[in-house]
Amino acid sequence: MTTESRYPAQTRRQLLTRIGILAGSAGLYQAMTSLGHAMGTDFKGPPHLTGARPGTTVLVLGAGLSGMLAAYELRRAGYSVRILEFQNRAGGRNITLRGGDTLTELGGATQKVGFAPGNYINPGPWRIPYHHQGLLHYCREFRIALEPFVQLNHNAWLHSSSTFGGKPVRYRELASDINGYTGELLAKAIDQHKLDDLVMPEEREHVLSTVRGWAGLSDKGTWASGARSSLRRGYDKMPSAGIDGAPTYSTPFPRAEVMKSGLWQWMAFPEALDMQTTMFQPVGGMDNIGKGFASRVHDLITLGCAVTSIHQDDHGVKVTYKDTAHGNAIREAAADYCVCTIPLPVLSQLDIQVSGPLKSAIAAVPYASSVKLAFEFKRRFWEEDDQIYGGISFTDQPISQISYPGHGALSKGPAVLLGGYMFGPAAYDFAGMTPAQRVEEGLRQGSVFHPKQYRSEFLNGIGVAWSRMPWTLGCCSMWSEQARKAHYKTLVSMDNRIVLAGEHASYVGCWQEGAILSSLAAATQLHKRATGAA
Amino acid sequence: MTTESRYPAQTRRQLLTRIGILAGSAGLYQAMTSLGHAMGTDFKGPPHLTGARPGTTVLVLGAGLSGMLAAYELRRAGYSVRILEFQNRAGGRNITLRGGDTLTELGGATQKVGFAPGNYINPGPWRIPYHHQGLLHYCREFRIALEPFVQLNHNAWLHSSSTFGGKPVRYRELASDINGYTGELLAKAIDQHKLDDLVMPEEREHVLSTVRGWAGLSDKGTWASGARSSLRRGYDKMPSAGIDGAPTYSTPFPRAEVMKSGLWQWMAFPEALDMQTTMFQPVGGMDNIGKGFASRVHDLITLGCAVTSIHQDDHGVKVTYKDTAHGNAIREAAADYCVCTIPLPVLSQLDIQVSGPLKSAIAAVPYASSVKLAFEFKRRFWEEDDQIYGGISFTDQPISQISYPGHGALSKGPAVLLGGYMFGPAAYDFAGMTPAQRVEEGLRQGSVFHPKQYRSEFLNGIGVAWSRMPWTLGCCSMWSEQARKAHYKTLVSMDNRIVLAGEHASYVGCWQEGAILSSLAAATQLHKRATGAA
């Protein structure tokens, strides 16, 4: 993509979001309509479907969030609903792993989670932006307790293998230095009247005071060791008490190193809409959302159903599946309509009777591979030794990041962190390793942040490769701009009696919100069709 | 102060911190010693005092955090300790107000808190930075549960009365536009070779790519409506699902308005060391810290002791006090040594037998006035209507800010927010009002953020004026640079048998950490003196 060419490696979310935006974006400008209210959420509230024809039946394929929500809203509308689920649990990619859980992947490798009681990792979705109002609405309705997810941590590490001697620096140091040096350069340019063609005289003082203030420059207009810079980047000796309580200042890193590092991308990361504060996580594990949804539709779900074909005609939909809980018996289920939330890499391999264009659309969307590593350590050395409470340390190594738990700060005993989050090529590399190799490689790379403790405090670890999960065969949809133009509207449009739902059927790909919004859009379409309104 | 002259109104913390830094700062430069480890905390662990002479007695004046901690560590060292406290509760300025609590101020006005069960406000300290390692150490030791305090919220409001038509804008919009426009200007200056004297050829591409990337500029190097800018500042229509799921872009505010607004200061605010993430608050109220400390020394505390004189000679210390719990009976307490944590505005009015220089020091430190408003509303309209979960909306009006609760997100029923936090002149204005007038004025000003709901959802409110609290007569110490030079070392040095402690005896003024560190410094000094080591 040409838009990427000038930039260092983008973060996966930036990449995904940009892909999503660019798709179909030509000419999508709109005048700013009202100050300060420019962004709402596109969630306008639950659909309030009413007036279903009595006895109309709906078959939902998949008991992830989108399937369960469609079932919940359609039953409320008056439909007779049934859900077939492949796994022996509901929730789909909304999942939390705890001690004693096992995970079997394609190829047969099985991992048993060794975490201490109370510890967990969310290998799928793990954070919720404030603007995901659809998901937040149902969390509130289903009384699922949320707590802040610590995304940005000024005291976490940033690591560039090729700069600063290969040693990590603190986010606050790097971010302050970038703001300071760029502000210093711009202030000098304006001060020396080099930008008089760009900054009119009446605006000059305003730009100068903004740049100097925001960058935290000294009275001389410089970014140098002193009170203002230490107030941002930290001190060599912190202000304290007693006779020797006075602080000593720190010294900014050399500008050339700061600019060469490429670490600006990790400053930009938490400024992207999807990563801005306030973010949330469910108290106790992400699967409390899945459990909350399941508590409303558990009576509709049949587990262990491996769908093999989806047929339809003018009278209804017929689904064939293997009942894996009962000796792989072949069974059939029929209904008037079907909401299909099966992930596209699986769905594209099934015998599904839909139009040619929809078949093409189903085959056109590649799925991202992603791998998450989770390590349990004897103690929270990142807190006790490094004063890092939650947030993320980033590196340009394949593991990309270490994310520290934002919950349970200061507690004693073993704790679990996210030891790596691979996307793209690195994810394929890690998925090709055995689970033990993934853990070993994650420990090796992560040691750059915590060289003294990463091995000595290690207890156990797992590596979850989403491309090897048999029920999804990938992490989430990766729409290209071209695919979006050619196939999106077809993919999300009802095909006679069948409508697709899931994060792949949205512009909010790879987020639970995409599953929620697409589920509501699908249920609404189905209802219009079934009541003759469409 | 000359350092302030060029800048718009500073935030109180910036001001305080700067004052603290500048004091005694001449020549305090120190070479950067090691990459990425430039800042530690000055807390090295508890003092581990041992070997007190049996029977040595210590009288601690004040059962705030500094007094209770000094008592805790000195008893552990082997001293016989007693604490006299003025109020009928321990904790000092570490306080939480809940429904049913009453607050009587100088002048006699009494407020009764009307909050619903479970709701509270912390009118004194209300947040804890990650680098306050002394306080965090004791929170951990005393098993006081903490949770993240949401400081920065990209979706909160910023308000400048004189720009944007007097309407608030979202933090994400303003911050993105400042980064975008400053980056655009600098990139153009470099691109057009206007800065070739400042940026050497070998650094040029690195600076350009950093500036373009961090600012989020378009491929053309501009900050304009499009994919990159909407990714930061928000969309007019958010990415969604279904057939009409494509987003539409927002348009940046006019550069002249952005630069004129002065709102950069609220971007700088959370970048200051004391406000950086991760911040904490105790679960359930700040006074859980005071209660945690009190649980370790409750047997040492006598409440209701209004100290009137503190005398000392070569043999010991003698304190006279009114026993307000028993008809104001005049009583005496004696000990070998004394740790005095009485706030300076009160202490300066007492008959205290210390050296002339120490008396001068005690009189030399003015205290800040500050006022906090707390309002209870019927529901969390800031969440439900404005998608603001925790964090702070800032204004250039006297109330300065509204801080939303970071805990209990999505919950139903009444909730309490901080409706104003005045410091400096505005605090004196508000302290001069009746409590009812403070509430009314806070509601009037705060309506700029929530015009539809602020009156209609209001239930009750309080206004706490720290200058009117009889036991402290101010919020906290405001060392001037001159006073720090002349008096700090005297103030923190043991005067025969008496040593002062409290946030005022530190470079971490107005923070609980100052009380903790000064307490440990005072206890250590006392121990050295008492064991003949100093």
Side-chain angles (χ1 to χ4, degrees):
Chain A
M1 297 207 332
T2 56
T3 51
E4 301 300 321
S5 57
R6 187 176 291 157
Y7 296 86
Q10 297 291 311
T11 68
R12 87 170 191 87
R13 286 293 179 185
Q14 289 173 312
L15 187 63
L16 286 175
T17 311
R18 188 164 306 122
I19 290 167
I21 296 159
L22 292 176
S25 66
L28 278 179
Y29 284 67
Q30 193 180 62
M32 178 179 58
T33 50
S34 62
L35 275 169
H37 296 271
M39 188 189 87
T41 164
D42 208 53
F43 175 76
K44 306 285 193 303
H48 299 299
L49 308 175
T50 56
R53 288 182 188 156
T56 309
T57 56
V58 178
L59 195 57
V60 175
L61 304 181
L65 296 193
S66 61
M68 290 194 284
L69 180 58
Y72 174 75
E73 290 292 353
L74 289 170
R75 171 156 70 174
R76 291 218 298 184
Y79 294 92
S80 176
V81 185
R82 188 180 168 198
I83 307 177
L84 305 184
E85 165 57 40
F86 176 90
Q87 294 190 77
N88 60 4
R89 56 173 279 279
R93 282 165 278 181
N94 176 292
I95 187 170
T96 298
L97 295 174
R98 300 180 181 81
D101 288 341
T102 58
L103 200 68
T104 301
E105 59 183 43
L106 285 184
T110 295
Q111 301 179 71
K112 183 164 183 183
V113 183
F115 300 160
N119 284 343
Y120 67 85
I121 195 78
N122 298 320
W126 55 314
R127 49 192 168 188
I128 304 171
Y130 63 84
H131 49 85
H132 285 187
Q133 289 289 311
L135 182 59
L136 292 177
H137 168 85
Y138 287 100
C139 285
R140 187 166 187 263
E141 179 165 332
F142 298 162
R143 296 190 178 271
I144 299 155
L146 303 182
E147 62 191 2
F149 176 93
V150 180
Q151 169 74 27
L152 168 63
N153 182 336
H154 284 81
N155 210 39
W157 298 112
L158 302 181
H159 172 249
S160 156
S161 303
S162 59
T163 39
F164 302 113
K167 288 183 182 171
V169 298
R170 300 279 191 178
Y171 175 93
R172 61 180 150 75
E173 298 171 323
L174 192 283
S176 303
D177 285 356
I178 285 186
N179 281 327
Y181 283 129
T182 55
E184 181 184 32
L185 282 173
L186 181 54
K188 281 182 180 168
I190 296 173
D191 228 21
Q192 298 169 12
H193 293 277
K194 289 175 173 173
L195 293 182
D196 284 357
D197 57 330
L198 297 171
V199 180
M200 298 301 103
E202 64 273 19
E203 198 188 353
R204 204 164 168 278
E205 276 309 311
H206 292 147
V207 175
L208 261 181
S209 66
T210 296
V211 169
R212 286 174 179 152
W214 163 226
L217 304 184
S218 72
D219 279 353
K220 295 176 185 165
T222 58
W223 181 251
S225 182
R228 294 240 175 81
S229 60
S230 291
L231 184 63
R232 304 258 180 115
R233 68 191 313 289
Y235 299 83
D236 274 357
K237 176 179 175 297
M238 284 287 282
S240 184
I243 288 167
D244 301 318
T248 57
Y249 300 142
S250 68
T251 302
F253 296 136
R255 189 180 76 192
E257 283 284 288
V258 168
M259 296 296 174
K260 197 182 78 174
S261 70
L263 293 176
W264 65 265
Q265 67 178 308
W266 307 119
M267 284 175 70
F269 192 77
E271 299 302 317
L273 202 59
D274 288 348
M275 297 296 156
Q276 293 176 358
T277 55
T278 306
M279 302 200 86
F280 291 108
Q281 63 180 12
V283 176
M286 185 57 77
D287 67 351
N288 283 326
I289 292 182
K291 289 173 182 170
F293 277 58
S295 71
R296 308 301 167 120
V297 294
H298 60 89
D299 55 312
L300 308 182
I301 302 173
T302 306
L303 299 173
C305 303
V307 170
T308 53
S309 73
I310 307 166
H311 289 183
Q312 62 176 333
D313 59 23
D314 288 346
H315 304 291
V317 179
K318 195 172 69 181
V319 169
T320 309
Y321 63 95
K322 280 192 293 186
D323 185 348
T324 62
H326 299 91
N328 284 336
I330 305 298
R331 304 195 195 281
E332 282 187 0
D336 295 319
Y337 300 97
C338 173
V339 178
C340 176
T341 74
I342 298 172
L344 300 184
V346 177
L347 186 62
S348 62
Q349 298 178 38
L350 303 185
D351 169 18
I352 179 169
Q353 199 174 31
V354 290
S355 70
L358 181 50
K359 277 188 184 168
S360 298
I362 289 169
V365 185
Y367 267 44
S369 177
S370 108
V371 174
K372 276 187 177 169
L373 310 178
F375 301 149
E376 184 173 55
F377 295 94
K378 295 172 195 165
R379 63 183 182 93
R380 294 175 177 246
F381 55 81
W382 50 92
E383 297 183 358
E384 296 166 16
D385 304 350
D386 287 332
Q387 295 89 52
I388 297 173
Y389 307 91
I392 301 174
S393 287
F394 290 101
T395 173
D396 57 4
Q397 297 175 101
I399 58 166
S400 165
Q401 59 196 274
I402 289 179
S403 178
Y404 310 94
H407 52 280
L410 303 188
S411 62
K412 302 176 181 182
V416 172
L417 55 66
L418 183 71
Y421 182 14
M422 281 67 76
F423 222 82
Y428 289 102
D429 291 344
F430 271 78
M433 302 177 190
T434 66
Q437 288 169 332
R438 292 172 204 154
V439 169
E440 169 58 26
E441 186 60 19
L443 286 174
R444 192 186 66 74
Q445 294 181 23
S447 294
V448 75
F449 294 119
H450 307 284
K452 280 181 290 192
Q453 310 95 336
Y454 223 54
R455 296 279 185 182
S456 62
E457 305 284 354
F458 177 75
L459 286 173
N460 60 77
I462 55 168
V464 180
W466 279 98
S467 60
R468 289 181 167 274
M469 292 299 106
W471 41 278
T472 176
L473 299 176
C475 173
C476 51
S477 61
M478 289 283 284
W479 283 92
S480 68
E481 190 174 354
Q482 292 73 14
R484 185 78 77 175
K485 273 184 188 156
H487 299 294
Y488 176 77
K489 290 204 173 176
T490 303
L491 190 94
V492 302
S493 296
M494 195 151 188
D495 185 292
N496 194 8
R497 295 175 172 274
I498 298 171
V499 63
L500 306 196
E503 52 81 22
H504 50 278
S506 81
Y507 276 80
V508 199
C510 292
W511 287 100
Q512 294 178 109
E513 182 75 357
I516 299 297
L517 296 179
S518 84
S519 175
L520 299 180
T524 302
Q525 264 195 90
L526 187 153
H527 181 63
K528 282 184 184 166
R529 166 80 164 73
T531 54
Chain B
M1 299 207 332
T2 56
T3 51
E4 302 301 321
S5 58
R6 188 175 291 157
Y7 295 86
Q10 297 290 312
T11 69
R12 89 170 191 88
R13 285 295 180 186
Q14 288 174 312
L15 187 65
L16 288 173
T17 311
R18 189 163 305 124
I19 289 167
I21 296 160
L22 292 177
S25 66
L28 278 178
Y29 284 66
Q30 193 180 62
M32 177 180 59
T33 50
S34 63
L35 276 168
H37 297 271
M39 189 188 87
T41 166
D42 207 53
F43 174 76
K44 306 283 193 304
H48 299 299
L49 308 176
T50 56
R53 287 180 190 157
T56 308
T57 55
V58 178
L59 196 55
V60 175
L61 303 182
L65 296 193
S66 62
M68 291 194 285
L69 181 58
Y72 174 75
E73 289 293 354
L74 288 170
R75 172 156 69 175
R76 290 218 298 186
Y79 294 93
S80 176
V81 185
R82 190 182 166 198
I83 307 176
L84 305 183
E85 165 57 38
F86 175 90
Q87 294 190 79
N88 61 3
R89 57 173 279 279
R93 281 164 280 181
N94 176 291
I95 188 170
T96 299
L97 295 175
R98 300 179 180 82
D101 287 341
T102 58
L103 202 66
T104 300
E105 60 185 42
L106 287 184
T110 295
Q111 302 179 72
K112 184 164 182 183
V113 183
F115 300 160
N119 284 344
Y120 67 85
I121 196 76
N122 298 319
W126 55 314
R127 47 193 169 188
I128 304 171
Y130 63 84
H131 49 83
H132 284 187
Q133 288 289 309
L135 181 58
L136 292 177
H137 168 85
Y138 287 100
C139 285
R140 187 168 188 263
E141 180 165 332
F142 299 161
R143 297 190 178 273
I144 298 155
L146 303 181
E147 62 191 2
F149 175 94
V150 179
Q151 170 74 25
L152 168 64
N153 182 336
H154 284 80
N155 210 39
W157 298 112
L158 302 181
H159 172 248
S160 156
S161 303
S162 59
T163 38
F164 302 114
K167 287 184 182 171
V169 298
R170 299 279 192 179
Y171 176 95
R172 61 180 151 75
E173 297 171 323
L174 193 282
S176 302
D177 285 356
I178 285 186
N179 281 328
Y181 283 129
T182 56
E184 181 184 31
L185 282 174
L186 181 54
K188 281 182 181 168
I190 296 173
D191 228 22
Q192 298 169 12
H193 292 277
K194 290 175 173 174
L195 292 182
D196 284 358
D197 57 331
L198 297 172
V199 181
M200 299 300 103
E202 63 272 22
E203 199 189 354
R204 204 164 167 277
E205 277 309 311
H206 293 147
V207 176
L208 262 182
S209 67
T210 296
V211 169
R212 286 174 179 150
W214 163 226
L217 304 184
S218 72
D219 279 354
K220 294 175 186 164
T222 59
W223 181 250
S225 182
R228 292 238 175 83
S229 59
S230 292
L231 184 63
R232 304 257 180 117
R233 67 191 314 287
Y235 299 83
D236 275 355
K237 176 180 174 295
M238 286 287 283
S240 185
I243 290 167
D244 302 318
T248 57
Y249 300 141
S250 67
T251 303
F253 296 136
R255 190 180 74 192
E257 284 283 288
V258 168
M259 295 297 174
K260 198 182 76 173
S261 70
L263 293 176
W264 64 264
Q265 68 178 306
W266 306 120
M267 284 174 70
F269 192 77
E271 299 302 317
L273 202 58
D274 287 349
M275 297 296 156
Q276 293 176 358
T277 55
T278 306
M279 304 200 86
F280 291 108
Q281 64 179 12
V283 176
M286 185 56 76
D287 67 351
N288 283 327
I289 292 182
K291 290 173 182 170
F293 277 59
S295 72
R296 307 301 167 121
V297 293
H298 60 91
D299 54 313
L300 307 182
I301 303 173
T302 307
L303 299 173
C305 303
V307 171
T308 53
S309 74
I310 307 167
H311 290 182
Q312 62 174 332
D313 59 24
D314 287 347
H315 303 292
V317 180
K318 193 172 71 182
V319 170
T320 310
Y321 64 95
K322 280 192 292 185
D323 185 348
T324 62
H326 299 91
N328 284 334
I330 305 298
R331 304 194 194 281
E332 283 187 359
D336 295 319
Y337 300 97
C338 174
V339 177
C340 177
T341 74
I342 298 173
L344 300 184
V346 176
L347 186 61
S348 62
Q349 299 178 38
L350 303 184
D351 169 19
I352 179 169
Q353 199 173 34
V354 292
S355 70
L358 182 49
K359 278 189 183 170
S360 299
I362 289 169
V365 186
Y367 267 44
S369 179
S370 106
V371 174
K372 275 187 178 170
L373 310 177
F375 301 149
E376 184 173 55
F377 295 93
K378 295 172 194 165
R379 64 183 182 93
R380 295 175 177 247
F381 56 80
W382 51 91
E383 297 183 357
E384 296 165 15
D385 304 350
D386 288 331
Q387 294 89 50
I388 297 173
Y389 307 90
I392 301 175
S393 287
F394 290 101
T395 173
D396 56 6
Q397 298 176 102
I399 57 167
S400 165
Q401 58 195 271
I402 289 178
S403 178
Y404 311 93
H407 53 280
L410 303 188
S411 62
K412 301 176 181 182
V416 172
L417 54 66
L418 183 71
Y421 183 13
M422 282 65 76
F423 222 82
Y428 289 102
D429 291 344
F430 271 78
M433 301 176 191
T434 65
Q437 287 169 333
R438 290 171 205 155
V439 169
E440 169 57 27
E441 186 59 20
L443 286 174
R444 192 186 65 75
Q445 293 181 24
S447 294
V448 74
F449 294 120
H450 307 285
K452 280 181 290 192
Q453 310 95 336
Y454 223 53
R455 296 278 185 181
S456 62
E457 304 285 353
F458 177 75
L459 285 173
N460 60 77
I462 55 168
V464 180
W466 279 98
S467 59
R468 290 181 167 274
M469 292 299 105
W471 41 277
T472 177
L473 299 176
C475 174
C476 52
S477 61
M478 287 284 284
W479 284 91
S480 68
E481 191 174 353
Q482 292 73 14
R484 185 78 78 176
K485 273 184 187 158
H487 299 293
Y488 176 77
K489 290 206 173 175
T490 302
L491 190 94
V492 303
S493 295
M494 196 152 188
D495 185 292
N496 195 9
R497 294 174 173 274
I498 298 172
V499 64
L500 305 196
E503 52 81 20
H504 49 278
S506 82
Y507 276 79
V508 199
C510 292
W511 287 100
Q512 294 178 109
E513 181 74 358
I516 298 297
L517 296 180
S518 84
S519 175
L520 299 180
T524 303
Q525 263 195 88
L526 187 153
H527 182 63
K528 282 184 184 168
R529 165 79 164 77
T531 53

